[in-house]
Amino acid sequence: PDDPSDNFAGTVRRVLRGMSANAVDVLAHAENPKSVPLPNMLLKDCATPVCQLLIMSRLRFVGRYVLYDEMHPVHKSESCLVMRAKDHGLEDEYKRFMAIYDAKENQVEDDISDAGSEPPEMTNMNEPNEVTLQLFVSFAEKMGVRAEAA
């Protein structure tokens, strides 16, 4: 609430709380003629991160899944409910990853060509040689993965 980057998040939360999911969907897909960086972006795409999260949490189950048929679960028992849904979070993460990858691709290609035109030969697939390991760790770090995790 005290974060200035929220830009009316409290107001957005109160407004969305009183709307049906269909009304939120219409609002989210309305164009904003004053959007930045491009005019006429959809409200869900040009909202601040906090407001965008609020909007998407009303459109998707836990902000990520769109349920196909809320009235007919795939399975239902006393302790379990299975619904068919599309995972938009995975799609969003893939798009985010590809944007980072595309931005770094030229640098990675330069690093690989600096290492030599031929990939190093590996004698055992389970034990990569030092050059291959260094290239992989360098690539992983450029993609935002810590060396320890790579």
Side-chain angles (χ1 to χ4, degrees):
D2 295 345
D3 186 351
S5 67
D6 282 357
N7 292 336
F8 308 106
T11 303
V12 170
R13 182 181 292 114
R14 285 188 298 278
V15 168
L16 294 177
R17 203 177 282 157
M19 298 174 74
S20 70
N22 288 339
V24 173
D25 187 54
V26 170
L27 177 65
H29 290 89
E31 291 183 355
N32 178 359
K34 296 182 180 181
S35 60
V36 175
L38 301 170
N40 300 321
M41 291 176 65
L42 300 181
L43 286 176
K44 70 179 185 68
D45 296 330
C46 66
T48 63
V50 174
C51 292
Q52 188 176 45
L53 182 63
L54 290 168
I55 293 168
M56 296 317 292
S57 70
R58 289 285 308 191
L59 294 176
R60 299 176 181 167
F61 179 66
V62 294
R64 183 171 179 150
Y65 302 95
V66 173
L67 303 177
Y68 285 121
D69 184 359
E70 295 179 42
M71 300 305 293
H72 300 95
V74 175
H75 169 77
K76 185 176 181 178
S77 68
E78 277 188 38
S79 62
C80 182
L81 177 66
V82 178
M83 304 293 293
R84 190 173 311 276
K86 180 175 181 182
D87 182 354
H88 286 274
L90 182 61
E91 185 178 317
D92 294 343
E93 281 300 306
Y94 175 77
K95 287 176 184 175
R96 188 180 68 77
F97 170 81
M98 288 309 295
I100 294 169
Y101 177 79
D102 289 343
K104 306 265 183 183
E105 187 175 39
N106 291 336
Q107 180 61 43
V108 171
E109 287 176 3
D110 290 345
D111 289 348
I112 291 172
S113 65
D114 289 346
S117 59
E118 294 294 319
E121 290 186 32
M122 293 175 48
T123 56
N124 180 345
M125 291 302 285
N126 294 322
E127 296 178 21
N129 66 37
E130 191 61 31
V131 174
T132 303
L133 186 57
Q134 288 173 351
L135 282 172
F136 176 75
V137 170
S138 174
F139 171 77
E141 287 174 335
K142 288 180 190 314
M143 296 306 296
V145 176
R146 293 186 339 264
E148 301 81 37

